Every structure is written in structure tokens, then in C-alpha cells.
């Protein structure tokens, strides 16, 4: 019969040869672990998403805030004119929020040819973690040639600068990002209490209303903890939003085309306290409780109404907490009410183009509808505390507005 030879070979190894093989195996194992670490296994974020100081609108409790005078007419208008995008209050989970620190490589940033000059920030570098991707992609390499919104969201948790880009593309060498380019990129200082008009009157951001995106997303960890302590990002089709209008803390509008009492960019919607959510799952009731206390803020144009963060780089998944994309199909616009605009300012801000200007409107994100100076940037400190990181330096154009009391 044929004999097995593994045992005799092992039996006759010398101690030095055995030690050599043991050391070799150990080194190989360490190499594998290091490679896995830098491949992104470490990118399992469990902490909260970026937040701003107390007094910011994003964390404002609106459970007893007074209603906007047009609230009943506006919610009814939406219900009678198509309702939510796709006709349902659906949740999108495609946007990544990545974390960086002062050791994260700063990668070259270049504006796209149709960059929104005057509204977006002039920077030359952005932090890009080794493991990451644009919205809807699975890696930096998969992000090359991205089409669509292609948001880029990275929060430096040491410098407290939040980098948010829209319509972005990536260049890579192998799997390593070497350049980012966007149609608009802005840098938020999460230590700063912004005035009631955010980055400045008529100024956009990576979302058309001028909001920070990351702060208005929600995570599986928040659902698991049973509490979301901030407002939620909310979007509608532009055809169902009022043309040439926005409300504070919004500072801009995209391409809305509706008339009458249609919803407006920047408005804040609160689920009615009388809404009965007893039939929903525990996970869904965490969201309904949030919508009753903090509400949802109309931030951008699109079809999927609510936005939770992608779980690709999170420590928990949406499956872990039992929350899918469609727990709220039964909720209709008139289950909500709209509260007064932030900071005591008029609920609706906008204008028709002066005679002779044609179709020129302030803050419209369509390049064919853009005056030469439609954005008045507030003077926001954006110094990067990370030594040698490059940072950002958008030129301030006006003194800061007074924050709301």
C-alpha cells in the first residue's frame, strides 16, 4: 500500500528547520493582517456622524415649534400633485460618510470645467482614506468615471473640517486615489455656529439647499441605540418644489419649477404628534420619533425621500437593525406639518428676475440660470489644524452674519 509521508518528514525536522518554518509562517500571517488593515478592514466606523455646536438648526427640537402659515396648503398641494418621489416615503442607503484624521493622506483636488465658481470653495487637496468610495460605488477604483450625484463626504475628526463634494470623479493608481475632481466642493467647520443663512445668501453646497449632507443622515448605530437626535435629510422632485424660493436655514435652491403653494427648498417638515406609528417595527419607530421631534429638512431634488448612510463602512448593517428601504409606504404628505423658518426670518425667500435680466435667478444651480454674483459667502473660519495637510482657503467675501438667538 502507498505510505503517507507527511508524518515521517515532520518527525525528522531539525529544531532549527522547524523554528525557521514557524517564523516564516508568523511573518506571512503578520503581512496578511497588515494588508487587511490597510485594505480597509479598519474602516468600520461606529461613531456619530458630524455634528455642529449647540444652537445649530440641525439639532433643534421642533416638537413644539409654531407652524408656517402655508403648512396645510403646502402639504395638501404635494399630496394632490404626485406626493413623494416614486409616490412613497422611501429611504436611500447609498451615500458614504468617511472618516479621516491628520494622518490621512491629502490627495490633489482639481475643479471640473463646469465648476460653480463663486459658490464653492477653492481648495487644492482633500483627505482620502485608503478604504473609501464615492456615492454608489464600492471602492475608489470603482468610483472612476462616476456619473450621477457622486457625492464625496469625508469628515476629518481631528481638524473638525467636513469635506463635501457633488458630481465628483476620482483618479487612481491601482486602488489608491490620486486625484479628486468635483463640480462643487465645500468645506464645513463643524466647530462653528453658522448664521441662519448657512454659508451665505444664495450659496449652494453639495446639496442644492446649501445644507451639510452628512449631519442630516442617520446610521444603523443610531437605530440600534433607539434615538436619532437631529433632523433628517429629505428630497423631492424639482417639479414638485416652488420655483425661485428657499427658506432659512436653506441658502439656495436647485431647479424647482412648481408654482402656487408647492413645497420650498430649506423647509422643515414635522411628523404630526397625533400620527399613530404603533403598527411599525421598533426600528421604524426610532425614525418616526425623530421625525416628530427634529423633523426632516428639504435639502435637494430627487426621487427617494429620506437618506440613511451607507453601511459599507459602518460597524453595523441595516440588516442588523432590521430597517429596509420601505417601512413608510403608508405615510402621506398630510401626515406632516411645516414649521416656521429658522432664525425668525421670513418663511419664503426669493425673487423674480428684474426686468431686462431674462431668466436669471439667484442661487439657481442650473448654469444657464446664473448671474455673475449670486452667492454672498459668509466669513467662516476654515483653517486646517493638521500640520502640513494643505487644508483649504476659500476667500471670505463679507463679514459673518449674526447667528440667530
Amino acid at each position: 500500500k502507498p505510505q503517507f509521508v507527511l508524518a515521517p518528514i515532520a518527525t525528522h525536522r531539525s529544531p532549527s528547520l522547524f523554528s525557521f518554518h514557524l517564523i516564516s509562517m508568523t511573518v506571512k500571517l503578520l503581512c496578511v493582517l497588515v494588508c487587511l488593515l490597510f485594505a480597509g478592514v479598519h474602516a468600520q466606523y461606529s461613531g456619530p456622524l458630524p455634528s455642529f455646536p449647540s444652537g445649530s438648526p440641525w439639532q433643534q427640537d421642533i416638537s413644539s415649534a409654531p407652524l408656517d402659515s402655508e403648512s396645510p396648503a403646502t402639504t395638501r398641494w404635494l399630496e394632490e400633485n404626485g406626493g413623494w418621489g416614486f409616490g412613497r416615503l422611501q429611504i436611500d442607503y447609498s451615500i458614504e460618510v468617511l472618516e479621516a484624521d491628520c494622518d490621512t493622506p491629502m490627495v490633489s483636488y482639481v475643479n471640473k470645467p463646469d465648476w460653480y465658481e463663486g459658490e464653492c470653495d477653492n481648495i487644492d487637496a482633500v483627505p482620502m482614506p485608503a478604504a473609501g468610495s464615492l456615492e454608489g460605488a464600492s471602492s475608489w477604483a470603482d468610483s472612476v468615471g462616476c456619473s450621477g450625484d457622486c457625492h464625496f463626504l469625508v469628515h476629518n475628526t481631528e481638524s473638525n473640517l467636513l469635506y463635501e463634494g457633488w458630481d465628483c470623479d476620482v483618479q487612481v493608481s491601482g486602488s489608491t486615489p490620486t486625484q479628486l475632481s468635483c463640480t462643487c466642493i465645500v468645506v464645513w467647520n463643524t466647530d462653528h455656529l453658522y448664521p441662519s443663512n448657512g454659508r451665505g445668501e444664495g450659496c449652494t453646497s453639495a446639496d442644492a439647499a446649501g445644507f451639510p449632507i452628512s449631519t442630516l443622515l442617520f446610521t444603523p448605530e443610531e437605530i440600534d441605540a433607539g434615538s436619532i437626535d437631529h433632523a433628517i435629510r429629505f428630497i423631492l422632485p424639482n417639479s414638485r418644489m416652488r420655483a425661485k424660493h428657499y427658506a432659512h436655514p436653506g441658502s439656495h435652491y436647485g431647479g424647482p419649477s412648481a408654482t402656487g403653494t408647492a413645497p420650498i427648498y430649506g423647509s422643515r417638515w414635522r411628523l404630526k404628534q397625533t400620527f399613530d406609528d404603533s403598527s411599525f417595527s421598533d426600528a421604524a419607530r426610532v425614525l418616526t420619533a425623530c421625525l416628530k421631534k427634529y423633523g426632516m429638512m428639504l435639502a435637494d431634488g430627487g426621487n427617494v425621500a429620506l437618506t440613511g448612510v451607507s453601511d459599507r463602512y459602518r460597524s453595523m448593517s441595516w440588516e442588523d437593525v432590521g430597517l429596509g428601504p420601505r417601512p413608510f409606504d403608508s405615510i402621506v404628505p398630510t401626515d406632516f406639518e411645516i414649521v416656521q423658518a429658522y432664525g425668525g426670518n421670513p418663511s419664503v425667500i426669493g425673487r423674480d428676475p428684474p426686468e431686462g435680466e431674462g431668466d436669471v435667478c439667484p442661487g439657481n444651480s442650473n448654469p444657464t440660470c446664473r448671474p455673475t454674483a449670486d452667492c454672498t459667502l459668509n466669513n467662516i473660519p476654515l483653517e486646517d489644524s493638521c500640520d502640513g495637510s494643505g487644508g483649504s482657503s476659500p476667500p471670505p467675501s463679507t463679514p459673518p452674519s449674526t447667528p440667530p438667538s
Side-chain angles (χ1 to χ4, degrees):
K1 293 180 180 180
Q3 301 294 314
F4 291 100
V5 296
L6 290 178
I9 290 176
T11 302
H12 292 91
R13 279 183 182 155
S14 67
S16 59
L17 184 60
F18 177 80
S19 299
F20 172 80
H21 281 285
L22 180 62
I23 293 171
S24 177
M25 290 175 65
T26 303
V27 170
K28 288 178 181 178
L29 178 60
L30 288 172
C31 287
V32 169
L33 291 174
V34 169
C35 289
L36 287 174
L37 177 67
F38 285 96
V41 173
H42 68 293
Q44 293 295 309
Y45 310 131
S46 59
L49 296 178
S51 62
F52 287 77
S54 175
S56 298
W58 331 116
Q59 294 98 249
Q60 181 186 19
D61 181 348
I62 61 163
S63 54
S64 59
L67 295 185
D68 183 88
S69 61
E70 293 186 339
S71 175
T74 296
T75 57
R76 187 170 59 252
W77 185 99
L78 182 59
E79 194 158 317
E80 293 173 353
N81 288 271
W84 318 117
F86 294 141
R88 55 183 179 262
L89 194 68
Q90 186 171 327
I91 306 173
D92 171 49
Y93 297 118
S94 66
I95 296 185
E96 317 286 355
V97 180
L98 308 175
E99 290 183 11
D101 55 29
C102 289
D103 293 325
T104 301
M106 295 296 288
V107 175
S108 170
Y109 172 79
V110 178
N111 295 321
K112 282 190 172 182
D114 55 353
W115 175 62
Y116 290 171
E117 185 174 1
E119 295 196 37
C120 307
D121 288 337
N122 282 309
I123 63 175
D124 53 22
V126 294
M128 296 186 74
S133 63
L134 299 181
E135 175 186 5
S138 60
S139 66
W140 293 127
D142 186 44
S143 302
V144 175
C146 185
S147 62
D149 281 345
C150 301
H151 285 107
F152 168 85
L153 308 177
V154 176
H155 182 217
N156 187 320
T157 57
E158 292 189 23
S159 68
N160 292 323
L161 294 182
L162 172 61
Y163 297 76
E164 296 196 338
W166 172 74
D167 187 27
C168 298
D169 196 4
V170 175
Q171 293 184 18
V172 298
S173 175
S175 60
T176 303
T178 57
Q179 181 177 288
L180 178 75
S181 57
C182 304
T183 297
C184 181
I185 195 163
V186 301
V187 185
W188 296 89
N189 180 348
T190 60
D191 283 334
H192 185 75
L193 179 61
Y194 281 71
S196 59
N197 63 354
R199 298 181 63 247
E201 214 68 72
C203 302
T204 190
S205 68
D207 254 352
F211 295 157
I213 298 175
S214 306
T215 300
L216 297 175
L217 307 183
F218 57 95
T219 69
E221 291 82 3
E222 287 175 304
I223 298 294
D224 184 63
S227 178
I228 301 172
D229 300 323
H230 57 82
I232 300 298
R233 180 182 188 248
F234 162 47
I235 67 178
L236 283 174
N238 272 303
S239 61
R240 299 173 200 171
M241 287 189 279
R242 197 179 314 178
K244 302 177 184 177
H245 290 86
Y246 61 83
H248 286 165
S251 57
H252 182 271
Y253 55 86
S257 58
T259 58
T261 56
I264 59 175
Y265 270 101
S267 56
R268 192 163 189 166
W269 297 49
R270 176 180 66 202
L271 189 62
K272 291 177 178 178
Q273 302 300 327
T274 55
F275 180 81
D276 182 6
D277 60 2
S278 60
S279 64
F280 293 158
S281 69
D282 290 346
R285 286 200 298 272
V286 175
L287 260 176
T288 55
C290 169
L291 291 170
K292 290 182 178 184
K293 185 173 183 179
Y294 298 99
M296 59 187 189
M297 304 179 77
L298 189 45
D300 205 7
N303 285 307
V304 184
L306 304 178
T307 314
V309 72
S310 165
D311 60 10
R312 185 183 308 278
Y313 302 107
R314 301 297 304 181
S315 62
M316 300 187 74
S317 71
W318 292 110
E319 184 177 1
D320 290 339
V321 298
L323 191 67
R326 296 181 59 179
F328 301 138
D329 282 10
S330 61
I331 298 181
V332 297
T334 52
D335 289 326
F336 284 83
E337 49 202 4
I338 302 169
V339 303
Q340 289 182 2
Y342 179 65
N345 294 287
S347 297
V348 178
I349 301 170
R351 69 172 175 90
D352 291 322
E355 186 176 353
E357 284 193 14
D359 190 22
V360 174
C361 43
N364 193 305
S365 63
N366 183 341
T368 62
C369 187
R370 177 178 304 283
T372 56
D374 58 342
C375 167
T376 305
L377 280 168
N378 290 323
N379 187 359
I380 308 299
L382 293 176
E383 292 79 10
D384 193 331
S385 59
C386 292
D387 293 337
S389 66
S392 61
S393 55
S397 45
T398 63
S401 302
T402 303
S405 58

